[in-house]
Amino acid sequence: VQLQASGGGLVQAGDSLRLTCTSSGRTLRGYHMGWFRQTPGKEREFVASISRGGGGTNYGDSVKGRFTISRDDGKNTMYLQMNSLEPEDTAVYYCATKTILTGPYNFGGQGTQVTVSS
């Protein structure tokens, strides 16, 4: 699945951003999905996940209580609402899909840069 992440930008600490993940030409309805982030020299970090149908969500410890993942299958879109942003949230954010809940994620596109200044 080819994915497009967007919505990143340069913001100040405490601000909010909403990231969007869409797919051209293929429905996301049948996939479990997630957001990950990566900074240079570091491993990719899990941010949040949402199950097929949206009934279950999970968050990385560093974003719990600040970020909210959601999906709108009618719009073929997944979102990541990021509030109370911190400089430590600066990273390239990627969206991903998987077909089996316990299976590996597939990363099918470019990420979006989020930069949080202090």
Side-chain angles (χ1 to χ4, degrees):
V1 178
Q2 192 65 23
L3 302 171
Q4 296 87 41
S6 63
L10 172 62
V11 297
Q12 293 185 332
D15 285 350
S16 298
L17 276 177
R18 187 176 76 161
L19 304 184
T20 298
C21 176
T22 60
S23 173
S24 58
R26 189 155 188 174
T27 180
L28 298 174
R29 186 181 300 273
Y31 295 94
H32 306 289
M33 300 189 68
W35 286 99
F36 292 76
R37 65 188 183 187
Q38 190 167 24
T39 55
K42 293 187 177 181
E43 292 187 358
R44 185 177 289 155
E45 178 188 6
F46 169 77
V47 175
S49 65
I50 187 165
S51 63
R52 185 170 47 221
T57 58
N58 193 26
Y59 296 91
D61 288 341
S62 61
V63 306
K64 281 181 182 177
R66 300 187 298 121
F67 291 11
T68 302
I69 189 172
S70 62
R71 64 191 297 166
D72 184 340
D73 289 340
K75 295 182 178 180
N76 210 36
T77 302
M78 177 180 66
Y79 303 99
L80 184 68
Q81 178 66 43
M82 306 187 296
N83 298 329
S84 302
L85 282 161
E86 304 169 351
E88 293 74 22
D89 296 317
T90 295
V92 178
Y93 285 71
Y94 299 89
C95 53
T97 61
K98 59 180 178 179
T99 56
I100 302 173
L101 199 57
T102 56
Y105 278 99
N106 296 306
F107 296 83
Q110 292 186 340
T112 185
Q113 175 72 48
V114 172
T115 303
V116 184
S117 64
S118 57

